[in-house]
Amino acid sequence: MDALADLDLRIAGCRACPRLVDWREEVARTRRAAFADQTYWGRPVPGFGPPDARLLIIGLAPAAHGGNRTGRMFTGDRSGDVLYQALYDVGLASQPTSVAADDGLELYGVRVTAPVHCAPPANKPTPGERETCRPWLVQELRLLRPTLRAVVALGAFGWQAALPALTEAGWSVPRPRPGFAHGARVGLDGAGRLELFGCFHVSQRNTFTGRLTPAMLREVLGTAARAAGLPGR
Ligand code: SF4
């Protein structure tokens, strides 16, 4: 087993945040009516994508009936529909849909992760839970370091989680820390050159209101893919 697969296994067994452990397991027990015949994952959801990824997408946390149900990042919810459609459109995914962990989806040179690996109530982890989960993100970044050339942070939460984790993993983040904005781009040195991009989160609130359109998402992902040296489209 490679080191990243081993990390993913260890993440899936984590119980460090009592509130999130209670919530993810309660949701898995009670389920949503539409999924009443399914067995929910109900555990931390590890990152998804190859161990030699050149691009890492950092979201927020798994959705209660999405990743927490299927066991794969952004899989089985509307946010994931938008994200994987865009990854497919720019040539980074084998198919435009992501509905179940065994649906055959492959990512090309890109990995998708979250700074909080457990579904939180109301999609809102606390800053303390983000801190508790950060060592997992730092370890993931360290393992990806040999190939990683670009990071896309989805939303201010992902951005604020990414900066200290990147610092701990060996990159130099400018002081004062750059603020989040859609389209922000910051070059980091240290553990190899890395380009950090900001993008509005693919939440329903953003995509339903048109704050984040598919074209805007494709633009950021395509630019990040080129910065990472991926072929993309
Ligand atoms: S959020 Fe992270 S640190 Fe907290 S229990 Fe889940 S995996 Fe562990």
Side-chain angles (χ1 to χ4, degrees), residues 10-18 20-21 24 43-45 115-119 129-136:
R10 288 189 288 121
I11 289 172
C14 182
R15 303 181 65 83
C17 303
L20 299 186
V21 171
R24 76 193 194 204
R43 297 162 62 191
V45 182
V116 172
H117 285 279
C118 293
E129 287 159 353
R130 186 174 63 196
E131 289 304 298
T132 304
C133 209
R134 189 166 74 205
W136 291 127

Short mmCIF file of all heavy atoms in Angstrom, two decimals, residues 10-18 20-21 24 43-45 115-119 129-136, ligand 1:
data_model
loop_
_atom_site.label_atom_id
_atom_site.label_comp_id
_atom_site.label_asym_id
_atom_site.label_seq_id
_atom_site.Cartn_x
_atom_site.Cartn_y
_atom_site.Cartn_z
N ARG A 10 -6.03 5.74 7.73
CA ARG A 10 -5.95 6.25 9.10
C ARG A 10 -6.96 7.37 9.31
O ARG A 10 -7.58 7.47 10.36
CB ARG A 10 -4.52 6.70 9.40
CG ARG A 10 -3.57 5.51 9.56
CD ARG A 10 -2.20 5.89 10.06
NE ARG A 10 -1.42 6.58 9.05
CZ ARG A 10 -0.93 7.80 9.18
NH1 ARG A 10 -1.13 8.49 10.28
NH2 ARG A 10 -0.22 8.34 8.21
N ILE A 11 -7.13 8.23 8.30
CA ILE A 11 -8.14 9.29 8.40
C ILE A 11 -9.52 8.68 8.64
O ILE A 11 -10.28 9.14 9.49
CB ILE A 11 -8.13 10.17 7.12
CG1 ILE A 11 -6.87 11.02 7.08
CG2 ILE A 11 -9.39 11.04 7.06
CD1 ILE A 11 -6.67 11.78 5.76
N ALA A 12 -9.83 7.65 7.88
CA ALA A 12 -11.17 7.04 7.95
C ALA A 12 -11.47 6.46 9.33
O ALA A 12 -12.63 6.22 9.67
CB ALA A 12 -11.32 5.97 6.88
N GLY A 13 -10.43 6.28 10.14
CA GLY A 13 -10.65 5.74 11.49
C GLY A 13 -10.61 6.79 12.58
O GLY A 13 -10.69 6.46 13.77
N CYS A 14 -10.51 8.07 12.20
CA CYS A 14 -10.32 9.14 13.20
C CYS A 14 -11.62 9.43 13.95
O CYS A 14 -12.70 9.48 13.37
CB CYS A 14 -9.81 10.40 12.50
SG CYS A 14 -9.49 11.77 13.64
N ARG A 15 -11.48 9.67 15.26
CA ARG A 15 -12.64 10.02 16.10
C ARG A 15 -12.29 11.20 17.01
O ARG A 15 -12.78 11.31 18.13
CB ARG A 15 -13.06 8.82 16.96
CG ARG A 15 -13.39 7.57 16.15
CD ARG A 15 -13.82 6.40 17.04
NE ARG A 15 -15.07 6.67 17.73
CZ ARG A 15 -16.27 6.50 17.19
NH1 ARG A 15 -16.40 6.07 15.95
NH2 ARG A 15 -17.37 6.78 17.89
N ALA A 16 -11.47 12.12 16.51
CA ALA A 16 -10.92 13.16 17.39
C ALA A 16 -11.91 14.27 17.74
O ALA A 16 -11.69 14.98 18.71
CB ALA A 16 -9.67 13.77 16.74
N CYS A 17 -12.98 14.45 16.95
CA CYS A 17 -13.91 15.56 17.21
C CYS A 17 -15.26 14.99 17.67
O CYS A 17 -16.05 14.52 16.84
CB CYS A 17 -14.14 16.37 15.93
SG CYS A 17 -12.63 17.04 15.21
N PRO A 18 -15.54 15.03 18.97
CA PRO A 18 -16.75 14.37 19.49
C PRO A 18 -18.03 14.85 18.82
O PRO A 18 -18.91 14.03 18.49
CB PRO A 18 -16.74 14.74 20.98
CG PRO A 18 -15.34 15.16 21.27
CD PRO A 18 -14.73 15.66 20.01
N LEU A 20 -18.53 16.02 15.82
CA LEU A 20 -18.63 15.54 14.44
C LEU A 20 -18.82 14.03 14.39
O LEU A 20 -19.53 13.51 13.51
CB LEU A 20 -17.40 15.97 13.64
CG LEU A 20 -17.19 17.49 13.54
CD1 LEU A 20 -16.03 17.81 12.60
CD2 LEU A 20 -18.45 18.20 13.09
N VAL A 21 -18.19 13.32 15.30
CA VAL A 21 -18.39 11.87 15.35
C VAL A 21 -19.87 11.58 15.62
O VAL A 21 -20.51 10.77 14.93
CB VAL A 21 -17.50 11.22 16.44
CG1 VAL A 21 -17.88 9.75 16.64
CG2 VAL A 21 -16.03 11.34 16.05
N ARG A 24 -22.01 12.68 12.36
CA ARG A 24 -21.87 11.83 11.15
C ARG A 24 -22.52 10.47 11.39
O ARG A 24 -23.12 9.89 10.48
CB ARG A 24 -20.37 11.70 10.78
CG ARG A 24 -19.60 10.75 11.67
CD ARG A 24 -18.09 10.81 11.54
NE ARG A 24 -17.52 9.64 12.18
CZ ARG A 24 -16.29 9.54 12.65
NH1 ARG A 24 -15.45 10.54 12.55
NH2 ARG A 24 -15.87 8.43 13.20
N ARG A 43 -18.40 7.87 8.32
CA ARG A 43 -17.04 7.99 8.90
C ARG A 43 -16.33 9.17 8.25
O ARG A 43 -16.87 9.79 7.33
CB ARG A 43 -16.26 6.69 8.63
CG ARG A 43 -16.89 5.49 9.31
CD ARG A 43 -16.41 4.19 8.70
NE ARG A 43 -14.97 3.98 8.83
CZ ARG A 43 -14.30 3.02 8.19
NH1 ARG A 43 -14.93 2.20 7.36
NH2 ARG A 43 -13.01 2.89 8.36
N PRO A 44 -15.10 9.50 8.67
CA PRO A 44 -14.36 10.55 7.96
C PRO A 44 -14.17 10.15 6.49
O PRO A 44 -13.96 8.98 6.18
CB PRO A 44 -13.01 10.58 8.69
CG PRO A 44 -13.27 9.99 10.02
CD PRO A 44 -14.33 8.95 9.80
N VAL A 45 -14.25 11.15 5.61
CA VAL A 45 -14.10 10.89 4.18
C VAL A 45 -12.70 11.33 3.75
O VAL A 45 -12.37 12.51 3.81
CB VAL A 45 -15.17 11.67 3.38
CG1 VAL A 45 -15.04 11.37 1.89
CG2 VAL A 45 -16.56 11.32 3.88
N PRO A 115 -10.42 20.25 4.37
CA PRO A 115 -9.70 20.52 5.61
C PRO A 115 -10.39 19.94 6.83
O PRO A 115 -9.79 19.83 7.89
CB PRO A 115 -9.69 22.06 5.68
CG PRO A 115 -10.83 22.50 4.85
CD PRO A 115 -11.07 21.44 3.81
N VAL A 116 -11.66 19.55 6.68
CA VAL A 116 -12.39 18.85 7.74
C VAL A 116 -12.97 17.60 7.08
O VAL A 116 -13.74 17.71 6.11
CB VAL A 116 -13.50 19.73 8.33
CG1 VAL A 116 -14.39 18.94 9.28
CG2 VAL A 116 -12.87 20.93 9.07
N HIS A 117 -12.63 16.44 7.58
CA HIS A 117 -12.98 15.20 6.88
C HIS A 117 -14.32 14.60 7.32
O HIS A 117 -14.72 13.57 6.77
CB HIS A 117 -11.87 14.16 7.05
CG HIS A 117 -10.66 14.45 6.21
ND1 HIS A 117 -10.59 14.12 4.87
CD2 HIS A 117 -9.50 15.07 6.49
CE1 HIS A 117 -9.42 14.50 4.38
NE2 HIS A 117 -8.74 15.08 5.34
N CYS A 118 -14.97 15.21 8.32
CA CYS A 118 -16.27 14.68 8.76
C CYS A 118 -17.37 15.67 8.46
O CYS A 118 -17.17 16.89 8.57
CB CYS A 118 -16.24 14.41 10.27
SG CYS A 118 -15.11 13.07 10.68
N ALA A 119 -18.55 15.16 8.12
CA ALA A 119 -19.70 16.02 7.85
C ALA A 119 -20.07 16.77 9.12
O ALA A 119 -20.26 16.15 10.16
CB ALA A 119 -20.87 15.18 7.39
N GLU A 129 -12.53 22.64 15.23
CA GLU A 129 -12.54 21.36 14.49
C GLU A 129 -11.60 21.45 13.29
O GLU A 129 -10.93 20.47 12.94
CB GLU A 129 -13.97 21.03 14.08
CG GLU A 129 -14.82 20.57 15.27
CD GLU A 129 -16.32 20.72 15.08
OE1 GLU A 129 -16.75 21.30 14.05
OE2 GLU A 129 -17.06 20.27 15.96
N ARG A 130 -11.55 22.61 12.68
CA ARG A 130 -10.60 22.80 11.56
C ARG A 130 -9.16 22.63 12.04
O ARG A 130 -8.34 22.01 11.37
CB ARG A 130 -10.81 24.19 10.96
CG ARG A 130 -10.00 24.44 9.70
CD ARG A 130 -10.36 25.77 9.08
NE ARG A 130 -10.05 26.90 9.94
CZ ARG A 130 -10.53 28.14 9.78
NH1 ARG A 130 -11.36 28.40 8.81
NH2 ARG A 130 -10.19 29.10 10.60
N GLU A 131 -8.88 23.17 13.22
CA GLU A 131 -7.53 23.02 13.78
C GLU A 131 -7.23 21.55 14.09
O GLU A 131 -6.14 21.06 13.82
CB GLU A 131 -7.41 23.84 15.08
CG GLU A 131 -7.40 25.33 14.88
CD GLU A 131 -6.31 25.77 13.94
OE1 GLU A 131 -5.14 25.54 14.25
OE2 GLU A 131 -6.63 26.30 12.86
N THR A 132 -8.22 20.88 14.67
CA THR A 132 -8.00 19.47 15.05
C THR A 132 -7.73 18.62 13.82
O THR A 132 -6.93 17.68 13.87
CB THR A 132 -9.24 18.94 15.81
OG1 THR A 132 -9.48 19.79 16.93
CG2 THR A 132 -9.03 17.52 16.30
N CYS A 133 -8.39 18.95 12.71
CA CYS A 133 -8.24 18.14 11.49
C CYS A 133 -7.01 18.53 10.67
O CYS A 133 -6.62 17.79 9.77
CB CYS A 133 -9.51 18.26 10.64
SG CYS A 133 -9.83 16.80 9.63
N ARG A 134 -6.41 19.67 10.99
CA ARG A 134 -5.33 20.18 10.12
C ARG A 134 -4.15 19.21 9.95
O ARG A 134 -3.58 19.12 8.85
CB ARG A 134 -4.83 21.53 10.63
CG ARG A 134 -3.87 22.15 9.62
CD ARG A 134 -3.62 23.60 9.91
NE ARG A 134 -2.76 23.76 11.06
CZ ARG A 134 -2.72 24.85 11.83
NH1 ARG A 134 -3.52 25.85 11.59
NH2 ARG A 134 -1.91 24.92 12.86
N PRO A 135 -3.75 18.48 10.99
CA PRO A 135 -2.60 17.57 10.78
C PRO A 135 -2.84 16.57 9.63
O PRO A 135 -1.88 16.17 8.96
CB PRO A 135 -2.48 16.84 12.12
CG PRO A 135 -3.05 17.81 13.12
CD PRO A 135 -4.17 18.52 12.40
N TRP A 136 -4.10 16.20 9.40
CA TRP A 136 -4.35 15.28 8.28
C TRP A 136 -4.04 15.98 6.95
O TRP A 136 -3.45 15.38 6.04
CB TRP A 136 -5.80 14.81 8.28
CG TRP A 136 -6.21 13.91 9.40
CD1 TRP A 136 -7.27 14.08 10.24
CD2 TRP A 136 -5.60 12.66 9.80
NE1 TRP A 136 -7.36 13.04 11.13
CE2 TRP A 136 -6.36 12.15 10.88
CE3 TRP A 136 -4.50 11.94 9.34
CZ2 TRP A 136 -6.04 10.94 11.53
CZ3 TRP A 136 -4.18 10.74 9.98
CH2 TRP A 136 -4.94 10.26 11.04
S1 SF4 B 1 -12.99 16.21 11.42
FE1 SF4 B 1 -10.92 15.41 11.11
S2 SF4 B 1 -9.94 15.41 13.14
FE2 SF4 B 1 -12.18 15.59 13.45
S3 SF4 B 1 -12.89 13.47 13.72
FE3 SF4 B 1 -13.11 13.98 11.55
S4 SF4 B 1 -11.20 13.25 10.60
FE4 SF4 B 1 -10.85 13.38 12.82
#
